């Protein structure tokens, strides 16, 4: 397959379960494609060279920097952005936990962190604080000091674990965790 | 930011990719995971005429053992190498080094071979492969050839690859897997480029004397460095505290780092001495413990 620099390529891929077909230049970044061509401005663009993590999305289930992928490279991919997290008007458990734990202030870094956390929780059944901090090392937040973010991710993991116990007959309250202490 | 315009080619086989390379020569640049190349394009530090996208070539994504060699396809994602049980078992050094590379979000996309051919002197994969005496398989439209990693790196971001060639796979010998290993590095925060990185593989004999050792240092020269003097100093010896200090000094005596914005020459020399000693100590203890559990 060959596309000349001045040509537009008819790119097909899926974002949040919806199919898109848009005309793109080969040099267009996936982050710009999502914002400009799909109108999904929830994916934020910060440093544009892979350092800040704000543009993180899921490509075929894996958290990656959308500023470090050419849109044309994502042909046929299944992409999830922050707009795809809430289902049926109900926020994703991570979004609820971020709200409860004050895990965001200005919110610029939040969409990227949420997307990384989604993959992280899928691959870590019972994460420790250090593992969460390690996952967050790929994200810059200049407001929160990260404490609330670590607690929010931990809370979702804890609730999930308690929920499983609950289902297996263990009488543990699902909402045993109180507001974070300062 | 936006890369400068380029023609885009997407071959569907390795052979087709090699033909494109033959055709475009210096004008054509391969892109795989893009985790080093796309930042360079975004900042327009490089403006290639043509990008040849090999990221979809499934035939170069594999980790398998054949005879006494572990073969890793050039396009295997770093994250898949990191999580491979076979890699953990056969080359634990590599499994220990991989989590230091960038972040989970870049390892999800970055490829094993991509890091090797990018040849950043602080990078973890080149450093580990130098310690492990790995070889690389290189392909062009004309021939396939094999090169030892020791001869692969020429200088900063420059390897033995010709403009018409591409990396096909990495081969790591697994015939006698050293029981002792360690990878450690220092950076200001996790995921940053290392100021100094060190890797070591080591084995001991029945009397806990060092039977074999390879210690490599990154971030101290234009290419990853094999600290040869350490080998001469400690082979056949038991590792005592005083020998450890001496070995650290010997490792740093081998090198001539440059100072830059991130660390002065003196600081890099200091870190090299400290981290050479640390990886040596950890590798030695693991080797002794491994020997104990095997007998």
């Amino acid at each position: 397959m060959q596309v000349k620099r001045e040509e537009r390529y008819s790119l097909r891929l899926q974002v949040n379960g919806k199919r898109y077909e848009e005309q793109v230049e080969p040099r267009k970044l996936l982050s710009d494609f999502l914002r400009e061509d799909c109108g999904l401005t929830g994916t934020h663009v910060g440093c544009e060279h892979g350092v800040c993590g704000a543009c993180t999305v899921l490509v075929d289930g894996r958290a990656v920097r959308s500023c470090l992928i050419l849109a044309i490279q994502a042909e046929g991919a299944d992409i999830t952005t922050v707009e795809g997290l809430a289902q049926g008007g109900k926020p994703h458990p991570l979004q609820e936990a971020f709200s409860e734990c004050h895990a965001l202030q200005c919110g610029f870094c939040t969409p990227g962190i949420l997307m990384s956390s989604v993959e992280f929780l899928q691959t870590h059944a019972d994460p420790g604080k250090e593992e969460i901090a390690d996952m967050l090392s790929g994200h810059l937040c200049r407001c929160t000091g990260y404490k609330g973010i670590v607690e929010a991710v931990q809370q979702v993991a804890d609730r999930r674990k308690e929920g499983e116990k609950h289902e297996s007959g263990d009488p543990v309250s699902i909402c045993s965790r109180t507001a974070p202490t300062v | 930011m936006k890369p400068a315009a380029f023609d885009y080619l997407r071959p569907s086989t390795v052979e087709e990719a090699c033909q494109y390379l033959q055709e475009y020569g210096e004008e054509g640049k391969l892109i795989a995971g893009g985790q080093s190349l796309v930042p360079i394009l975004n900042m327009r530090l490089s403006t290639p005429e043509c990008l040849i996208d090999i990221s979809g070539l499934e035939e170069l994504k594999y980790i398998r053992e054949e005879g006494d060699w572990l073969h890793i396809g050039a396009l295997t994602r770093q994250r898949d190498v990191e999580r491979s049980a076979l890699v953990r078992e056969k080359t634990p050094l590599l499994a220990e080094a991989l989590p230091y590379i960038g972040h989970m979000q870049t390892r999800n996309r970055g490829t094993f071979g991509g890091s090797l051919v990018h040849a950043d002197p602080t990078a973890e994969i080149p450093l580990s492969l130098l310690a492990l005496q790995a070889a690389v398989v290189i392909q062009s439209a004309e021939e396939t050839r094999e090169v030892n990693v020791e001869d692969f790196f020429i200088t900063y971001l420059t390897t033995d690859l010709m403009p018409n060639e591409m990396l096909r796979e990495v081969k790591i010998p697994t015939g006698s897997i050293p029981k002792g290993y360690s990878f450690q590095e220092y950076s200001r925060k996790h995921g940053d480029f290392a100021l100094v990185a060190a890797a070591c593989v080591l084995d001991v004999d029945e009397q806990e004397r060092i039977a074999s050792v390879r210690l490599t240092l990154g971030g101290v020269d234009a290419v990853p460095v094999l600290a040869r003097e350490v080998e001469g100093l400690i082979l056949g010896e038991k590792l005592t505290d005083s020998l450890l200090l001496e070995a650290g000094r010997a490792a740093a005596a081998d090198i001539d780092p440059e100072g830059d914005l991130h660390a002065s020459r003196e600081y890099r020399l200091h870190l090299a001495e400290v981290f050479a000693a640390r990886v040596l100590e950890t590798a030695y203890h693991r080797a002794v413990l491994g020997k104990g559990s095997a007998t």
Side-chain angles (χ1 to χ4, degrees):
Chain A
M1 190 260 270
Q2 305 196 18
V3 188
K4 289 280 170 206
R5 65 191 61 200
E6 64 280 0
E7 283 174 7
R8 303 271 169 143
Y9 180 71
S10 186
L11 178 66
R12 290 184 199 191
L13 45 70
Q14 188 163 301
V15 187
N16 302 329
K18 188 178 159 196
R19 286 186 188 164
Y20 289 83
E21 180 169 354
E22 307 292 337
Q23 309 300 313
V24 298
E25 281 183 289
R27 64 169 161 168
K28 185 154 219 163
L29 300 172
L30 180 60
S31 46
D32 290 337
F33 175 80
L34 291 169
R35 292 176 58 84
E36 295 165 6
D37 297 76
C38 304
L40 297 169
T41 51
T43 298
H44 291 166
V45 169
C47 71
E48 290 181 86
H49 62 285
V51 175
C52 77
C55 70
T56 303
V57 300
L58 300 183
V59 174
D60 295 325
R62 288 182 167 205
V64 296
R65 312 280 205 228
S66 61
C67 75
L68 296 189
I69 304 178
L70 301 168
I72 200 167
Q73 289 190 290
E75 182 166 29
D78 190 357
I79 293 165
T80 310
T81 67
V82 70
E83 288 94 339
L85 288 183
Q87 294 294 327
K90 199 178 168 312
H92 188 279
L94 268 165
Q95 290 171 310
E96 281 178 352
F98 268 58
S99 166
E100 286 169 29
C101 299
H102 305 288
L104 67 153
Q105 287 180 33
C106 87
F108 192 87
C109 66
T110 313
I113 293 179
L114 284 170
M115 301 321 289
S116 282
S117 303
V118 168
E119 192 210 323
F120 176 77
L121 286 172
Q122 278 165 1
T123 48
H124 294 75
D126 188 13
K129 278 214 162 75
E130 276 199 8
E131 285 174 291
I132 298 172
D134 187 53
M135 177 270 292
L136 286 174
S137 75
H139 292 275
L140 291 180
C141 171
R142 301 293 84 176
C143 301
T144 66
Y146 299 98
K147 190 167 180 287
I149 303 174
V150 172
E151 282 168 354
V153 177
Q154 186 91 62
Q155 175 168 306
V156 175
D158 289 352
R159 283 185 179 171
R160 185 175 61 181
K161 225 169 61 184
E162 285 163 15
E164 283 162 11
K165 275 190 215 159
H166 198 63
E167 276 164 26
S168 65
D170 193 336
V172 178
S173 162
I174 290 178
C175 298
S176 64
R177 202 181 157 93
T178 52
T181 50
V182 178
Chain B
M1 286 192 288
K2 205 183 254 189
F6 49 77
D7 296 339
Y8 177 84
L9 301 173
R10 189 195 291 158
S12 47
T13 62
V14 173
E15 282 63 36
E16 197 185 342
C18 289
Q19 277 159 21
Y20 284 143
L21 282 172
Q22 198 77 19
E23 204 173 309
Y24 286 84
E26 304 263 7
E27 305 288 296
K29 177 84 187 148
L30 290 177
I31 180 165
Q35 301 302 288
S36 299
L37 181 59
V38 178
I40 292 169
L41 296 177
N42 284 356
M43 291 186 273
R44 302 204 182 190
L45 297 171
S46 170
T47 54
E49 289 294 309
C50 163
L51 276 194
I52 304 166
D53 181 6
I54 54 170
S55 62
L57 296 180
E58 295 297 322
E59 57 184 306
L60 294 189
K61 298 176 186 174
Y62 55 84
I63 302 169
R64 58 177 175 241
E65 195 184 17
E66 281 167 21
D68 283 344
W69 295 88
L70 185 70
H71 300 253
I72 303 180
L75 294 176
T76 313
R77 304 274 182 210
Q78 289 158 10
R79 188 109 162 111
D80 293 330
V81 180
E82 177 186 347
R83 297 167 85 171
S84 157
L86 191 61
V87 168
R88 247 195 324 276
E89 184 197 334
K90 297 295 175 183
T91 56
L93 176 73
L94 208 48
E96 187 160 88
L98 272 145
Y100 284 101
I101 304 171
H103 308 283
M104 173 263 271
Q105 298 87 346
T106 59
R107 294 194 297 277
N108 263 341
R109 184 85 191 152
T111 64
F112 190 73
S115 169
L116 194 62
V117 299
H118 185 57
D120 187 300
T122 66
E124 292 80 3
I125 290 173
L127 195 59
S128 308
L129 292 178
L130 181 61
L132 291 168
Q133 297 183 276
V136 296
V137 178
I138 294 167
Q139 187 167 347
S140 70
E142 292 159 348
E143 61 164 355
T144 303
R145 65 188 178 102
E146 210 174 295
V147 177
N148 289 331
V149 165
E150 262 186 73
D151 304 318
F152 185 63
F153 302 107
I154 310 288
T155 182
Y156 290 102
L157 311 184
T158 308
T159 68
D160 188 45
L161 279 177
M162 292 288 126
N164 68 334
E165 289 180 322
M166 65 182 278
L167 181 72
R168 207 189 150 87
E169 71 167 14
V170 174
K171 290 169 63 180
I172 306 167
T174 55
S176 59
I177 308 163
K179 294 244 174 359
Y181 65 91
S182 179
F183 187 99
Q184 297 182 48
E185 69 174 43
Y186 184 75
S187 59
R188 290 288 157 92
K189 70 179 178 59
H190 180 89
D192 282 2
F193 290 101
L195 297 180
V196 165
C200 180
V201 285
L202 180 154
D203 250 332
V204 294
D205 65 14
E206 299 302 324
Q207 279 78 47
E208 300 184 357
R209 291 177 309 213
I210 294 165
S212 71
V213 58
R214 276 174 78 86
L215 194 155
T216 57
L217 290 167
V220 298
D221 203 343
V223 294
V225 172
L226 177 65
R228 291 177 204 278
E229 295 197 5
V230 172
E231 198 178 334
L233 184 70
I234 65 175
L235 265 188
E237 305 285 335
K238 283 190 173 189
L239 197 63
T240 58
D241 285 352
S242 60
L243 186 60
L244 192 59
L245 283 176
E246 216 180 313
R249 280 197 292 270
D254 263 357
I255 55 171
D256 187 20
E258 281 178 31
D260 60 22
L261 185 66
H262 306 287
S264 65
R265 177 188 144 81
E266 291 71 25
Y267 186 43
R268 279 209 161 87
L269 280 169
H270 169 73
L271 285 175
E273 192 174 323
V274 170
F275 277 77
R278 282 189 192 171
V279 291
L280 206 53
E281 188 177 21
T282 306
Y284 182 76
H285 286 302
R286 282 174 173 168
V288 170
L289 280 175
K291 197 52 102 187
S293 67
T295 51

